[in-house]
Amino acid sequence: MESYRTLLVDAFTTEPLTGNAAGVVPDADGLSEQQMQAVARELSVSETAFLFPSEEADRKVRYFTPTQEVDLCGHATIAAHGALFDDGVIDAGSYTLETPVGVLDIDVTETGAVWMTQNAPQIFEVEFDYEEAGEALGIDPDAFRDVGADLPPAYASTGLPFLMLPVNFLQHLSSMDPDMDAVEALADKHDTEGVYVFTFDAVGRSQDSTLHGRAFVPGLGVDEDPVTGTASGACGAYLDHFAAFDDEFPERMTFEQGHFLDRPGYVGVRVDGRTVQVGGDAVVSLDGSLTVPEFEEDEIIEA
């Protein structure tokens, strides 16, 4: 058995134990897929990032939820590069990251904040049943209808697809009581990995928050993700696509999330044409080592 340095890093925050926790294994060379899945299950956070050398980029990453591998994770990307900066492995500057969805650009500021450029957006309106969505999410369907004429339900992806659902008021967002099986079925019906519900009626209006969001990804083993980089990027592209701000689209937006899970965090979002960036701070909350057993080549690791 070998031990691997393993971190828990809170992304989209400067305060430990807030934002969204990600596992980070800074040097995962030598770990098998089965071992990575076992580590992610042991850490039991929404995603764990495993970093490797790369022939195409500055480094390579693989992402695992507690139940399966996923193609992209925004907060784990921010967390991993924040940890590398904290360690002195990287300085402020521009880097590249090989991911399952392609090579992405990463920018690190002098303060250690990390910005990732996501894939070019794919956005399209979907046929939608408000009653079905209301039942799945435990919310009055009229909360969707009030804004649906201007901002319709839509498929949105910048690397990981989400169903975008705007609602009218924060009280509806905060009081949702989702049926996770029904939410998973709703996401599957629209060929997305999860559902992102948001309102412009934000908690931190005094902090210039653009909106408040909640992300549900039960199909990937994450009932509710506290603060979501991939969904935030997709939502930023969605707002641009449907001209949410008319001719005055903000240069930078701030999406708040996680308050109803006691994990508040803030995601910076920039959209310039087909270029979408999300960014934020990260702080290491746990730094240790994990002993990883060997598995038989054909052994199946079940959640």
Side-chain angles (χ1 to χ4, degrees):
M1 292 188 291
E2 293 190 38
S3 293
Y4 288 80
R5 185 178 177 216
T6 305
L7 313 175
L8 285 177
V9 185
D10 295 319
F12 301 123
T13 182
T14 58
E15 295 292 330
L17 310 185
T18 64
N20 199 355
V24 177
V25 179
D27 182 4
D29 211 14
L31 283 173
S32 69
E33 186 170 307
Q34 292 95 330
Q35 289 172 316
M36 286 187 281
Q37 185 63 77
V39 169
R41 188 177 67 247
E42 182 71 14
L43 293 179
S44 196
V45 291
S46 54
E47 279 92 3
T48 296
F50 297 85
L51 299 180
F52 298 87
S54 171
E55 296 182 358
E56 300 180 32
D58 292 309
R59 51 194 51 84
K60 175 182 177 179
V61 67
R62 293 180 69 176
Y63 308 100
F64 285 80
T65 76
T67 62
Q68 65 192 90
E69 186 172 9
V70 294
D71 289 340
L72 185 65
C73 177
H75 87 276
T77 302
I78 302 300
H81 286 81
L84 293 174
F85 180 86
D86 189 61
D87 272 352
V89 175
I90 61 175
D91 299 317
S94 297
Y95 300 91
T96 52
L97 180 68
E98 180 187 349
T99 78
V101 299
V103 175
L104 303 181
D105 293 325
I106 308 294
D107 295 300
V108 182
T109 71
E110 294 290 342
T111 64
V114 180
W115 287 85
M116 65 178 294
T117 300
Q118 300 183 338
N119 281 349
Q122 295 178 304
I123 316 287
F124 54 84
E125 191 172 344
V126 298
E127 292 290 332
F128 197 70
D129 184 332
Y130 288 109
E131 298 294 334
E132 177 188 25
E135 185 173 344
L137 289 157
I139 189 172
D140 183 347
D142 287 340
F144 299 123
R145 290 192 181 96
D146 278 357
V147 291
D150 296 322
L151 290 175
Y155 172 107
S157 177
T158 53
L160 197 69
F162 281 85
L163 176 63
M164 291 290 146
L165 296 179
V167 300
N168 51 7
F169 298 118
L170 188 65
Q171 69 182 61
H172 290 128
L173 196 70
S174 65
S175 63
M176 284 193 301
D177 184 21
D179 176 335
M180 291 303 169
D181 288 338
V183 172
E184 182 176 353
L186 181 65
D188 287 345
K189 179 179 180 178
H190 296 287
D191 296 322
T192 61
E193 298 290 359
V195 179
Y196 186 76
V197 190
F198 70 92
T199 177
F200 295 112
D201 184 22
V203 172
R205 280 174 286 182
S206 61
Q207 301 177 12
D208 296 325
S209 293
T210 308
L211 58 79
H212 192 104
R214 296 183 70 178
F216 304 98
V217 202
L220 296 182
V222 183
D223 282 352
E224 181 169 2
D225 204 11
V227 194
T228 321
T230 49
S232 294
C235 184
Y238 163 94
L239 295 176
D240 180 49
H241 181 85
F242 288 105
F245 303 101
D246 298 322
D247 295 329
E248 299 181 5
F249 197 85
E251 183 177 335
R252 171 182 168 152
M253 298 172 284
T254 299
F255 294 178
E256 62 180 38
Q257 196 180 337
H259 294 65
F260 305 118
L261 298 175
D262 294 324
R263 302 279 314 194
Y266 299 87
V267 185
V269 181
R270 299 170 178 159
V271 181
D272 183 6
R274 293 184 62 76
T275 300
V276 179
Q277 293 181 306
V278 300
D281 297 297
V283 58
V284 176
S285 58
L286 182 66
D287 187 343
S289 63
L290 191 65
T291 301
V292 184
E294 297 290 335
F295 294 111
E296 295 294 331
E297 189 68 28
D298 59 352
E299 185 175 351
I300 298 175
I301 308 302
E302 296 184 355

